[in-house]
Amino acid sequence: MRASQYFISTLKEAPNEAELPSHKLMLRAGMIKRIASGIYTWMPLGLRVLRKVEAVVRSEMEAAGSVELFMPAVQPAELWQESGRWEKYETGLMLRIKDRHDRDFCFGPTHEEIITDIARKEINSYKQLPKNFFQIQTKFRDETRPRFGVMRAREFIMKDAYSFHADFDSLVDTYGRMYQAYSNVFSRLGLKYRAVAADTGAIGGTGSHEFQVLADSGEDLIAYCPDSDFAANIELAEAVAPAGGRPASAEPLARVATPKVKTIDELVAFLSVDIRRTVKAVVVESEDGAPVLMLVRGDHTLNEVKAEKVAGIKTPLTFASPDAIRAAFGAGPGSLGPVGFSGRVIADRTVAAMADMITGGNEDEVHLTGVNFGRDCPEPEVADIRNIVAGDPSPCGKGQLAICRGIEVGHIFQLRTRYAEPMGCTFLNREGKQQTMEMGCYGIGVSRVVAAAIEQNYDERGIIFTDAMAPFTVVIVPMGYGRSDTVRAAADDLYRQFSEAGVDVLLDDRDERPGVLLADSELIGIPHRVVIGDRGLKEGQVEYQGRRDSEASPVPLAGVVAHIRSRLGA
């Protein structure tokens, strides 16, 4: 491609709306243009990157046995009502619309209902199973706060796949192949990532893994063990019970006045104690609306996803109102504890192993020291209800947990019968009886992958794309293309050689200053650059510089194509 025939529209500064590096750089490089909040046009340069990602995703899905189709973006409400999600889908995220006949539709945020409807109509026998379908298509989720450019946009490109099975063993087999296909995708794109065990969230089902691109700007926290392959989203990472059990009590129960003390930090300062002796109280509602006291150590935080999964707890997790707390405990938040409370008490594993605790006294501005389960209050229920912290023992037993940030770019689920059962998606088994299909679903945020890759690969000069994702693999920058016949002839010949060798090349023949041409090539993130000038040509040389190289190096003009192809592994 010749730049003079293409469309390159770069900016020196990013608009004020941009926050993350990827958002700033994509706008500056002219890859996207904002149309409305969370809605962007993919400009020619950005679209080339997007298509490169799609090509890798498509090839790996096909290699794993998935068959491509294309489902409608606009979906009838009836299917969502069948699955039970029309009213329950994450509040506010679904864009509901009506047609001229006043019938309800939505702009699909996902396609489980559509594909399940297809399967129940087209698959009748176990002989047709398993089947795996995928599409690459536009989705719309009406985010409350769309931000960070295409990282959290309302309209986005997604690869979603869905598999159907006669039994769970078949689902597990396909799930494993999808896991490997996703690993192949992100490895081929040159990204640093981790596959982490995750919560199933609004999609439903059982087993689930997220694929996280590691980046300091990531919204998700990932717990991992440096000494093993263990990794999990912090919402799901297990907090292992302390070794050694509970020590013996050494203190009597004592009441301490704590005026104006409402928080754990204030309590620690007032009593001059180690925060690890204190216990934090959180009150949530049970399924019948009764208050339930949850206890975590003072330096830990309640994990709401884990807490919601405790049997008998109201879903979604609902915190008790101040009035309900006062009616149940006789005190307000900040002075609560298990002593004297007759309701249900759930202690985190760490709290269950503590002795001589400091808790609220269920009396305003009063705390208790020397609190011990079994002596001062009944033994509580014990559950893993806290977030892990760096240094906790890894559940794999091979070391301590570390925490890093990641950007979710893929998610795979074992749906089981979450959609098949309510929608009557059945088949005739070997015995000739109707049986509900098992399902899996597998998503990749294709447009988000582009932003995540930039978050992981950029410097002060701009984007650093990998060979697999760059809009162009090589850029030829001639110094004075329109003024020097020698430079123009060499640039044109080199452009021809790269094109014939199958290398995706851009010849920047624009009538711009050399500084502009060089700066644009770095901003756009093209991995390999060849600079041609009269002085070098007199010695039969050009300058080659990889995007990550600190400086250019001379390469013979006659060998530059072979030199770059060797770096590309060709």
Side-chain angles (χ1 to χ4, degrees), residues 321-468:
S321 68
D323 289 345
I325 290 173
R326 187 165 292 280
F329 291 85
S335 299
L336 307 179
V339 178
F341 175 59
S342 59
R344 187 180 180 191
V345 178
I346 301 172
D348 179 68
R349 292 168 174 174
T350 301
V351 173
M354 292 173 64
D356 300 328
M357 300 174 287
I358 300 173
T359 73
N362 292 332
E363 181 180 348
D364 287 335
E365 300 186 338
V366 170
H367 282 77
L368 302 177
T369 62
V371 175
N372 287 272
F373 292 121
R375 186 193 72 183
D376 306 312
C377 55
E379 292 287 347
E381 296 178 42
V382 180
D384 174 18
I385 56 172
R386 72 169 174 91
N387 284 325
I388 63 94
V389 295
D392 278 346
S394 173
C396 69
K398 296 182 179 179
Q400 295 182 329
L401 291 175
I403 297 176
C404 65
R405 288 194 171 273
I407 300 167
E408 181 189 344
V409 290
H411 206 155
I412 59 177
F413 302 84
Q414 294 175 6
L415 292 178
R416 304 296 306 269
T417 59
R418 165 64 184 86
Y419 298 91
E421 188 168 347
M423 294 185 69
C425 186
T426 62
F427 68 99
L428 289 177
N429 62 21
R430 291 178 182 274
E431 289 73 40
K433 296 180 179 179
Q434 291 287 340
Q435 183 176 325
T436 301
M437 294 184 204
E438 296 270 356
M439 284 180 62
C441 78
Y442 320 92
I444 290 179
V446 177
S447 48
R448 176 178 272 208
V449 166
V450 178
I454 295 171
E455 289 296 327
Q456 194 177 80
N457 298 280
Y458 72 93
D459 61 16
E460 70 283 355
R461 294 175 290 168
I463 301 166
I464 306 175
F465 275 124
T466 61
D467 293 338

Side-chain angles (χ1 to χ4, degrees), residues 212-277:
Q212 297 270 358
V213 168
L214 306 183
D216 292 338
S217 58
E219 292 185 284
D220 296 327
L221 288 173
I222 302 166
Y224 69 96
C225 178
D227 302 315
S228 75
D229 292 333
F230 174 81
N233 189 298
I234 200 167
E235 295 176 339
L236 199 67
E238 180 185 3
V240 178
R246 182 191 300 163
S249 170
E251 296 180 11
L253 181 67
R255 179 180 178 278
V256 179
T258 50
K260 298 182 179 179
V261 170
K262 297 292 185 183
T263 69
I264 289 293
D265 289 341
E266 291 171 346
L267 179 64
V268 168
F270 184 83
L271 297 178
S272 299
V273 295
D274 188 330
I275 193 172
R276 291 174 295 182
R277 293 189 57 198

Side-chain angles (χ1 to χ4, degrees), residues 308-320:
E308 187 179 277
K309 292 181 177 180
V310 174
I313 299 301
K314 185 175 181 180
T315 302
L317 189 70
T318 304
F319 295 97

